[in-house]
Coordinates of all heavy atoms in Angstrom, one line a residue:
S1 N 38.5 -24.3 31.2 CA 39.7 -24.9 31.8 C 40.6 -23.8 32.4 O 40.5 -22.7 32.0 CB 40.4 -25.7 30.7 OG 41.3 -25.0 30.0
Y2 N 41.3 -24.2 33.3 CA 42.2 -23.2 34.1 C 43.5 -23.9 34.4 O 43.6 -25.1 34.7 CB 41.5 -22.7 35.3 CG 40.8 -23.8 36.2 CD1 41.5 -24.3 37.3 CD2 39.6 -24.3 35.9 CE1 41.0 -25.3 38.1 CE2 39.0 -25.3 36.6 CZ 39.7 -25.8 37.7 OH 39.2 -26.8 38.5
F3 N 44.6 -23.0 34.4 CA 45.9 -23.5 34.7 C 46.6 -22.5 35.6 O 46.7 -21.3 35.3 CB 46.7 -23.6 33.4 CG 48.1 -24.0 33.6 CD1 48.5 -25.2 34.1 CD2 49.1 -23.2 33.1 CE1 49.8 -25.6 34.3 CE2 50.5 -23.6 33.3 CZ 50.8 -24.8 33.8
E4 N 47.1 -22.9 36.8 CA 47.7 -22.1 37.8 C 49.1 -21.6 37.3 O 49.5 -20.5 37.6 CB 47.8 -22.8 39.1 CG 48.4 -22.0 40.2 CD 47.5 -20.9 40.7 OE1 46.3 -20.8 40.3 OE2 48.0 -20.1 41.5
G5 N 49.8 -22.4 36.6 CA 51.1 -22.0 36.2 C 52.2 -23.1 36.5 O 51.9 -24.2 36.8
E6 N 53.4 -22.6 36.4 CA 54.6 -23.5 36.6 C 54.5 -24.4 37.9 O 55.0 -25.5 37.9 CB 55.9 -22.7 36.5 CG 57.1 -23.5 36.4 CD 57.7 -23.8 37.8 OE1 57.5 -23.1 38.8 OE2 58.4 -24.8 37.9
A7 N 53.9 -23.9 38.9 CA 53.8 -24.6 40.2 C 53.0 -25.9 40.0 O 53.1 -26.8 40.9 CB 53.3 -23.7 41.3
D8 N 52.2 -26.0 39.0 CA 51.4 -27.2 38.8 C 51.8 -28.1 37.6 O 51.0 -29.0 37.3 CB 49.9 -26.8 38.6 CG 49.2 -26.6 39.9 OD1 49.8 -26.9 41.0 OD2 48.0 -26.1 39.9
L9 N 53.0 -27.9 37.1 CA 53.4 -28.8 36.0 C 55.0 -28.9 36.1 O 55.7 -27.9 36.1 CB 53.1 -28.1 34.6 CG 53.4 -29.0 33.4 CD1 52.5 -30.2 33.4 CD2 53.1 -28.2 32.2
K10 N 55.4 -30.1 36.3 CA 56.8 -30.4 36.6 C 57.4 -31.3 35.5 O 56.8 -32.4 35.2 CB 57.0 -31.0 38.0 CG 56.6 -30.1 39.1 CD 57.4 -28.9 39.1 CE 56.9 -27.9 40.0 NZ 57.5 -26.6 39.8
H11 N 58.5 -30.9 34.9 CA 59.2 -31.7 33.9 C 60.0 -32.8 34.6 O 60.7 -32.6 35.6 CB 60.1 -30.8 33.1 CG 60.9 -31.5 32.0 ND1 62.2 -31.7 32.1 CD2 60.4 -32.1 30.9 CE1 62.6 -32.4 31.0 NE2 61.5 -32.6 30.3
I12 N 59.9 -34.0 34.1 CA 60.7 -35.2 34.6 C 61.8 -35.5 33.6 O 63.0 -35.4 34.0 CB 59.8 -36.4 34.7 CG1 58.6 -36.1 35.7 CG2 60.6 -37.6 35.3 CD1 58.9 -35.6 37.0
Q13 N 61.5 -35.8 32.4 CA 62.5 -36.1 31.4 C 61.9 -36.1 30.0 O 60.7 -36.4 29.9 CB 63.3 -37.4 31.7 CG 62.4 -38.6 31.6 CD 63.2 -39.9 31.7 OE1 64.3 -40.0 31.3 NE2 62.6 -40.9 32.4
D14 N 62.7 -35.8 29.0 CA 62.2 -35.9 27.6 C 60.8 -35.2 27.5 O 60.7 -34.0 27.9 CB 62.1 -37.3 27.1 CG 63.4 -38.0 27.2 OD1 64.5 -37.4 26.9 OD2 63.5 -39.2 27.5
N15 N 59.8 -35.9 27.1 CA 58.4 -35.2 27.0 C 57.5 -35.7 28.2 O 56.3 -35.6 28.1 CB 57.8 -35.5 25.7 CG 57.3 -36.9 25.5 OD1 57.9 -37.9 26.1 ND2 56.3 -37.2 24.7
L16 N 58.1 -36.1 29.2 CA 57.4 -36.6 30.4 C 57.3 -35.6 31.5 O 58.3 -35.0 31.9 CB 58.0 -37.9 31.0 CG 57.4 -38.5 32.2 CD1 56.0 -39.0 31.8 CD2 58.2 -39.7 32.7
Y17 N 56.0 -35.3 32.0 CA 55.8 -34.3 33.0 C 54.8 -34.9 34.0 O 54.1 -35.9 33.8 CB 55.1 -33.1 32.3 CG 55.9 -32.3 31.4 CD1 56.2 -32.8 30.1 CD2 56.5 -31.2 31.8 CE1 57.0 -32.1 29.3 CE2 57.3 -30.4 30.9 CZ 57.6 -30.9 29.7 OH 58.4 -30.2 28.8
V18 N 54.7 -34.3 35.2 CA 53.7 -34.5 36.2 C 52.9 -33.3 36.2 O 53.5 -32.2 36.3 CB 54.3 -34.9 37.6 CG1 53.2 -35.1 38.6 CG2 55.2 -36.0 37.5
G19 N 51.6 -33.4 36.2 CA 50.7 -32.2 36.2 C 49.6 -32.4 37.3 O 48.9 -33.4 37.4
A20 N 49.5 -31.3 38.1 CA 48.4 -31.3 39.1 C 47.1 -31.0 38.5 O 47.0 -30.3 37.4 CB 48.7 -30.2 40.1
H21 N 46.1 -31.5 39.1 CA 44.7 -31.1 38.7 C 43.8 -31.2 39.9 O 44.1 -31.9 40.8 CB 44.1 -32.0 37.5 CG 43.9 -33.4 37.9 ND1 42.7 -33.9 38.3 CD2 44.8 -34.5 37.9 CE1 42.8 -35.2 38.6 NE2 44.1 -35.6 38.3
G22 N 42.8 -30.4 39.9 CA 41.9 -30.4 41.1 C 41.7 -29.0 41.6 O 40.7 -28.3 41.1
I23 N 42.5 -28.5 42.5 CA 42.2 -27.2 43.1 C 42.5 -26.0 42.2 O 41.7 -25.1 42.0 CB 43.0 -27.1 44.5 CG1 42.6 -28.2 45.4 CG2 42.9 -25.7 45.1 CD1 43.4 -28.3 46.7
R24 N 43.7 -25.9 41.7 CA 44.2 -24.7 40.9 C 44.3 -24.9 39.4 O 44.4 -24.0 38.7 CB 45.5 -24.3 41.5 CG 45.6 -24.0 42.9 CD 44.9 -22.6 43.2 NE 44.8 -22.4 44.7 CZ 45.3 -21.4 45.3 NH1 45.9 -20.4 44.6 NH2 45.1 -21.2 46.6
T25 N 44.3 -26.2 39.0 CA 44.5 -26.5 37.6 C 43.5 -27.6 37.2 O 43.3 -28.5 37.9 CB 45.9 -27.0 37.3 OG1 46.8 -25.9 37.5 CG2 46.1 -27.4 35.8
S26 N 42.9 -27.4 36.0 CA 41.9 -28.4 35.6 C 42.5 -29.5 34.8 O 43.6 -29.3 34.2 CB 40.8 -27.7 34.7 OG 41.3 -27.3 33.5
K27 N 41.9 -30.6 34.8 CA 42.3 -31.8 34.0 C 42.3 -31.4 32.5 O 43.1 -31.9 31.7 CB 41.5 -33.0 34.3 CG 42.0 -34.3 33.7 CD 42.4 -35.2 34.8 CE 43.0 -36.5 34.2 NZ 42.6 -37.7 34.8
E28 N 41.3 -30.6 32.1 CA 41.2 -30.1 30.7 C 42.4 -29.4 30.3 O 42.9 -29.5 29.1 CB 39.9 -29.3 30.5 CG 38.7 -30.0 30.7 CD 38.2 -30.2 32.1 OE1 38.7 -29.6 33.0 OE2 37.4 -31.1 32.4
A29 N 43.0 -28.5 31.2 CA 44.2 -27.8 30.9 C 45.4 -28.8 30.6 O 46.2 -28.6 29.7 CB 44.5 -26.8 32.0
L30 N 45.5 -29.8 31.5 CA 46.6 -30.8 31.3 C 46.4 -31.5 29.9 O 47.4 -31.7 29.2 CB 46.6 -31.8 32.4 CG 46.9 -31.3 33.8 CD1 46.9 -32.4 34.8 CD2 48.1 -30.5 33.8
N31 N 45.1 -31.8 29.6 CA 44.9 -32.5 28.3 C 45.3 -31.6 27.1 O 45.8 -32.0 26.1 CB 43.4 -32.8 28.2 CG 43.0 -34.0 29.1 OD1 43.8 -34.7 29.6 ND2 41.7 -34.0 29.4
W32 N 45.0 -30.2 27.3 CA 45.4 -29.3 26.2 C 46.9 -29.3 26.0 O 47.4 -29.3 24.9 CB 44.9 -27.9 26.6 CG 45.2 -26.9 25.5 CD1 44.5 -26.6 24.4 CD2 46.4 -26.0 25.5 NE1 45.2 -25.6 23.6 CE2 46.3 -25.3 24.3 CE3 47.4 -25.9 26.4 CZ2 47.3 -24.3 24.0 CZ3 48.4 -24.9 26.1 CH2 48.3 -24.2 24.9
F33 N 47.6 -29.2 27.1 CA 49.1 -29.2 27.0 C 49.6 -30.5 26.4 O 50.4 -30.5 25.5 CB 49.7 -29.1 28.4 CG 49.9 -27.7 28.9 CD1 49.1 -27.2 29.9 CD2 50.9 -26.9 28.5 CE1 49.2 -25.9 30.4 CE2 51.1 -25.6 28.9 CZ 50.2 -25.1 29.9
S34 N 49.0 -31.6 26.8 CA 49.4 -32.9 26.3 C 49.2 -33.0 24.8 O 50.1 -33.4 24.0 CB 48.6 -34.0 27.0 OG 49.0 -35.3 26.5
E35 N 48.0 -32.6 24.3 CA 47.7 -32.6 22.9 C 48.4 -31.6 22.1 O 48.9 -31.9 21.0 CB 46.2 -32.5 22.7 CG 45.4 -33.6 23.3 CD 43.9 -33.3 23.4 OE1 43.5 -32.2 22.9 OE2 43.2 -34.1 24.1
T36 N 48.6 -30.4 22.6 CA 49.2 -29.3 21.8 C 50.7 -29.4 21.7 O 51.3 -29.1 20.7 CB 48.9 -28.0 22.5 OG1 47.4 -27.8 22.6 CG2 49.4 -26.8 21.7
F37 N 51.4 -30.0 22.7 CA 52.8 -30.0 22.8 C 53.4 -31.4 22.8 O 54.5 -31.6 23.1 CB 53.3 -29.2 24.0 CG 53.0 -27.8 23.9 CD1 52.0 -27.3 24.7 CD2 53.6 -26.9 23.0 CE1 51.6 -25.9 24.7 CE2 53.3 -25.6 22.9 CZ 52.3 -25.1 23.8
D38 N 52.5 -32.4 22.5 CA 53.0 -33.8 22.5 C 53.7 -34.2 23.8 O 54.8 -34.7 23.8 CB 53.9 -34.1 21.2 CG 54.2 -35.6 21.1 OD1 53.3 -36.4 21.4 OD2 55.3 -35.9 20.6
M39 N 53.0 -33.9 24.9 CA 53.6 -34.2 26.2 C 52.9 -35.4 26.8 O 51.7 -35.6 26.6 CB 53.4 -33.0 27.1 CG 54.0 -31.7 26.7 SD 53.4 -30.2 27.5 CE 53.9 -30.5 29.2
K40 N 53.6 -36.2 27.5 CA 53.0 -37.3 28.3 C 52.9 -36.7 29.7 O 54.0 -36.4 30.3 CB 53.9 -38.5 28.3 CG 53.7 -39.5 29.4 CD 52.5 -40.4 29.1 CE 52.4 -41.5 30.1 NZ 51.4 -41.5 31.1
I41 N 51.7 -36.5 30.2 CA 51.5 -35.9 31.6 C 50.9 -37.0 32.5 O 49.9 -37.5 32.2 CB 50.7 -34.7 31.5 CG1 51.3 -33.6 30.6 CG2 50.4 -34.1 32.9 CD1 50.5 -32.4 30.4
I42 N 51.6 -37.2 33.6 CA 51.1 -38.1 34.6 C 50.3 -37.2 35.5 O 50.8 -36.2 36.1 CB 52.2 -38.7 35.5 CG1 53.1 -39.6 34.6 CG2 51.7 -39.5 36.6 CD1 54.4 -40.1 35.2
P43 N 48.9 -37.4 35.6 CA 48.1 -36.6 36.4 C 48.2 -36.8 37.9 O 48.4 -38.0 38.4 CB 46.7 -36.9 36.0 CG 46.8 -38.3 35.4 CD 48.2 -38.5 34.9
F44 N 48.3 -35.8 38.7 CA 48.4 -35.9 40.2 C 47.2 -35.1 40.8 O 47.2 -33.8 40.7 CB 49.7 -35.3 40.6 CG 50.1 -35.5 42.0 CD1 51.1 -36.4 42.3 CD2 49.5 -34.9 43.1 CE1 51.5 -36.6 43.6 CE2 49.8 -35.1 44.4 CZ 50.8 -36.0 44.7
L45 N 46.3 -35.8 41.4 CA 45.1 -35.1 41.9 C 45.5 -34.4 43.2 O 46.0 -35.0 44.1 CB 44.0 -36.2 42.2 CG 42.7 -35.7 42.8 CD1 42.0 -34.7 41.9 CD2 41.8 -36.8 43.2
M46 N 45.1 -33.1 43.2 CA 45.4 -32.2 44.4 C 44.0 -32.0 45.1 O 43.1 -31.5 44.5 CB 46.0 -30.9 44.0 CG 47.3 -31.0 43.2 SD 48.6 -31.8 44.1 CE 48.9 -30.5 45.3
Q47 N 43.9 -32.3 46.4 CA 42.7 -32.2 47.1 C 42.9 -31.5 48.5 O 41.9 -31.1 49.1 CB 42.0 -33.5 47.3 CG 41.6 -34.2 46.1 CD 40.9 -35.5 46.3 OE1 41.5 -36.3 47.1 NE2 39.8 -35.8 45.7
D48 N 44.1 -31.3 48.9 CA 44.4 -30.8 50.2 C 44.4 -29.3 50.2 O 45.3 -28.7 49.4 CB 45.7 -31.3 50.8 CG 45.9 -31.0 52.2 OD1 45.8 -29.8 52.6 OD2 46.3 -31.9 53.0
E49 N 43.6 -28.5 50.9 CA 43.6 -27.1 50.8 C 44.9 -26.4 51.3 O 45.1 -25.3 50.9 CB 42.4 -26.5 51.6 CG 42.5 -26.8 53.1 CD 41.2 -26.3 53.8 OE1 40.2 -26.9 53.6 OE2 41.3 -25.4 54.6
Y50 N 45.7 -27.1 52.0 CA 47.0 -26.6 52.5 C 48.1 -26.9 51.5 O 49.2 -26.3 51.6 CB 47.3 -27.1 53.9 CG 46.3 -26.6 54.9 CD1 45.3 -27.4 55.4 CD2 46.3 -25.2 55.2 CE1 44.4 -26.9 56.3 CE2 45.3 -24.7 56.1 CZ 44.4 -25.6 56.7 OH 43.4 -25.1 57.5
L51 N 48.0 -28.0 50.7 CA 48.9 -28.4 49.7 C 48.3 -28.2 48.4 O 47.9 -29.2 47.7 CB 49.4 -29.8 50.0 CG 50.0 -30.1 51.3 CD1 50.2 -31.6 51.5 CD2 51.3 -29.4 51.6
Y52 N 48.2 -27.0 47.9 CA 47.3 -26.7 46.7 C 48.1 -26.6 45.4 O 47.5 -26.5 44.4 CB 46.5 -25.5 47.0 CG 47.2 -24.3 47.5 CD1 47.9 -23.5 46.7 CD2 47.1 -24.1 48.9 CE1 48.6 -22.4 47.2 CE2 47.8 -23.0 49.4 CZ 48.5 -22.1 48.6 OH 49.2 -21.1 49.1
H53 N 49.4 -26.7 45.4 CA 50.2 -26.7 44.2 C 51.0 -28.0 44.2 O 51.4 -28.5 45.2 CB 51.2 -25.5 44.2 CG 50.5 -24.2 43.8 ND1 50.9 -23.1 44.5 CD2 49.6 -23.9 43.0 CE1 50.2 -22.1 44.0 NE2 49.4 -22.5 43.1
L54 N 51.3 -28.4 43.0 CA 52.0 -29.7 42.8 C 53.4 -29.6 43.4 O 53.9 -30.6 44.0 CB 52.2 -29.9 41.3 CG 52.9 -31.3 40.9 CD1 52.1 -32.4 41.4 CD2 53.1 -31.3 39.4
D55 N 54.0 -28.4 43.4 CA 55.4 -28.3 44.0 C 55.4 -28.5 45.5 O 56.4 -28.5 46.1 CB 56.1 -27.0 43.6 CG 55.4 -25.8 43.9 OD1 54.3 -25.8 44.6 OD2 55.9 -24.7 43.6
C56 N 54.2 -28.6 46.1 CA 54.1 -28.9 47.6 C 54.2 -30.5 47.8 O 54.5 -30.9 48.9 CB 52.8 -28.5 48.1 SG 52.5 -26.7 48.2
C57 N 54.0 -31.2 46.7 CA 54.0 -32.7 46.8 C 55.0 -33.4 45.9 O 55.3 -34.6 46.1 CB 52.6 -33.2 46.5 SG 51.3 -32.6 47.6
V58 N 55.5 -32.8 44.9 CA 56.4 -33.4 43.9 C 57.6 -32.5 43.7 O 57.5 -31.3 43.4 CB 55.7 -33.6 42.6 CG1 56.6 -34.2 41.5 CG2 54.5 -34.6 42.7
L59 N 58.8 -33.2 43.8 CA 60.1 -32.4 43.5 C 60.9 -33.3 42.6 O 61.5 -34.3 43.1 CB 60.8 -32.2 44.8 CG 62.2 -31.5 44.7 CD1 62.1 -30.1 44.1 CD2 62.8 -31.4 46.1
P60 N 61.1 -33.0 41.3 CA 62.0 -33.7 40.5 C 63.4 -33.4 40.9 O 63.8 -32.3 41.1 CB 61.7 -33.1 39.1 CG 60.4 -32.4 39.2 CD 60.3 -32.0 40.6
L61 N 64.1 -34.5 41.2 CA 65.5 -34.4 41.7 C 66.5 -34.5 40.5 O 67.5 -33.8 40.4 CB 65.8 -35.4 42.7 CG 64.9 -35.3 44.0 CD1 65.1 -36.5 44.9 CD2 65.2 -34.0 44.7
T62 N 66.3 -35.6 39.7 CA 67.1 -35.8 38.5 C 66.1 -36.4 37.5 O 64.9 -36.5 37.7 CB 68.2 -36.8 38.7 OG1 67.6 -38.1 38.9 CG2 69.1 -36.5 39.9
S63 N 66.6 -36.7 36.3 CA 65.8 -37.3 35.3 C 65.3 -38.8 35.7 O 64.4 -39.3 35.1 CB 66.4 -37.4 33.9 OG 67.6 -38.2 34.0
E64 N 65.9 -39.3 36.7 CA 65.6 -40.7 37.2 C 64.9 -40.7 38.5 O 64.3 -41.7 38.9 CB 66.9 -41.5 37.3 CG 67.7 -41.6 36.0 CD 66.9 -42.4 34.9 OE1 66.3 -43.4 35.3 OE2 67.0 -42.1 33.8
Y65 N 65.0 -39.6 39.3 CA 64.5 -39.6 40.7 C 63.6 -38.4 40.9 O 63.9 -37.3 40.5 CB 65.6 -39.6 41.7 CG 66.5 -40.8 41.7 CD1 67.7 -40.8 41.0 CD2 66.1 -42.0 42.4 CE1 68.4 -42.0 41.0 CE2 66.8 -43.1 42.4 CZ 68.0 -43.1 41.7 OH 68.8 -44.3 41.6
V66 N 62.4 -38.7 41.6 CA 61.5 -37.7 41.9 C 61.0 -37.9 43.4 O 60.7 -39.1 43.8 CB 60.2 -37.8 41.0 CG1 59.2 -36.8 41.4 CG2 60.6 -37.7 39.6
A67 N 61.1 -36.9 44.2 CA 60.6 -37.0 45.6 C 59.1 -36.7 45.5 O 58.7 -35.7 44.9 CB 61.3 -36.0 46.5
V68 N 58.3 -37.6 46.2 CA 56.9 -37.5 46.1 C 56.3 -37.7 47.5 O 56.7 -38.6 48.2 CB 56.3 -38.6 45.2 CG1 54.8 -38.5 45.2 CG2 56.8 -38.5 43.8
C69 N 55.3 -36.9 47.9 CA 54.6 -37.1 49.1 C 53.6 -38.2 48.8 O 52.5 -37.9 48.3 CB 53.9 -35.8 49.5 SG 52.9 -35.9 51.0
T70 N 53.9 -39.4 49.1 CA 53.1 -40.5 48.8 C 51.8 -40.6 49.6 O 50.8 -41.1 49.1 CB 53.8 -41.9 48.9 OG1 54.3 -41.9 50.3 CG2 55.0 -42.0 48.0
A71 N 51.7 -39.9 50.7 CA 50.5 -39.8 51.5 C 49.4 -39.1 50.8 O 48.2 -39.2 51.1 CB 50.8 -39.2 52.9
K72 N 49.8 -38.2 49.8 CA 48.8 -37.4 49.1 C 48.6 -37.8 47.7 O 47.8 -37.2 47.0 CB 49.3 -35.9 49.1 CG 49.4 -35.3 50.5 CD 48.0 -35.2 51.1 CE 48.0 -34.7 52.5 NZ 46.7 -34.6 53.1
A73 N 49.4 -38.8 47.2 CA 49.3 -39.3 45.8 C 48.4 -40.5 45.7 O 48.4 -41.3 46.6 CB 50.7 -39.6 45.3
E74 N 47.6 -40.6 44.6 CA 46.9 -41.8 44.4 C 47.8 -42.9 44.0 O 48.9 -42.7 43.5 CB 45.9 -41.5 43.3 CG 44.8 -40.5 43.6 CD 43.8 -40.2 42.5 OE1 44.3 -40.0 41.4 OE2 42.6 -40.4 42.8
K75 N 47.4 -44.1 44.3 CA 48.2 -45.3 44.0 C 48.6 -45.4 42.5 O 49.7 -45.7 42.2 CB 47.4 -46.6 44.3 CG 47.6 -47.1 45.7 CD 47.1 -48.5 45.8 CE 45.9 -48.5 46.8 NZ 45.5 -49.9 47.0
E76 N 47.7 -45.0 41.6 CA 48.0 -45.1 40.2 C 49.1 -44.1 39.8 O 49.9 -44.4 38.9 CB 46.7 -44.8 39.3 CG 45.6 -45.8 39.5 CD 44.8 -45.6 40.8 OE1 44.8 -44.5 41.4 OE2 44.1 -46.5 41.2
T77 N 49.0 -42.9 40.4 CA 50.0 -41.9 40.2 C 51.4 -42.4 40.6 O 52.4 -42.2 39.9 CB 49.7 -40.6 40.9 OG1 48.4 -40.1 40.4 CG2 50.7 -39.5 40.6
I78 N 51.5 -43.0 41.8 CA 52.8 -43.5 42.3 C 53.3 -44.6 41.4 O 54.5 -44.6 41.1 CB 52.6 -44.0 43.8 CG1 52.2 -42.8 44.7 CG2 53.8 -44.7 44.2 CD1 51.8 -43.3 46.1
Q79 N 52.4 -45.4 40.9 CA 52.9 -46.5 40.0 C 53.4 -45.9 38.7 O 54.4 -46.4 38.2 CB 51.7 -47.5 39.7 CG 51.4 -48.3 40.9 CD 50.1 -49.2 40.7 OE1 49.4 -48.9 39.8 NE2 49.9 -50.1 41.6
E80 N 52.8 -44.9 38.2 CA 53.3 -44.3 36.9 C 54.6 -43.6 37.1 O 55.4 -43.7 36.2 CB 52.2 -43.3 36.4 CG 51.1 -44.0 35.6 CD 50.4 -43.0 34.7 OE1 50.9 -42.6 33.7 OE2 49.3 -42.6 35.1
L81 N 54.7 -43.0 38.3 CA 56.0 -42.3 38.5 C 57.1 -43.3 38.7 O 58.2 -43.1 38.3 CB 55.9 -41.4 39.8 CG 55.1 -40.1 39.6 CD1 54.8 -39.5 40.9 CD2 55.9 -39.2 38.7

C-alpha cells in the first residue's frame, strides 16, 4: 500500500474524511487509516494524470460545505459528500 500524504486526505468534520485513491494513494492505505484511527473515509477515485492529488478536486470550506469538482467525482462519492 502507498500514501502520498496530506494532499490526498482531507478532514471534513469529526471523524469524517475524504481520501483519494488511484494514482498516488492506494485504497489499502485508506483502509489502514480508517481501521487504525477509527476514521470514516469517503473514497474519491483519482484517474486524471493532470489532477493527481485530492486537493486538485476537493476543498473543504467549512464543516458543512465542501467544494468538489463534480466532473471528476463518481456519482457515489458525490452522494456521500
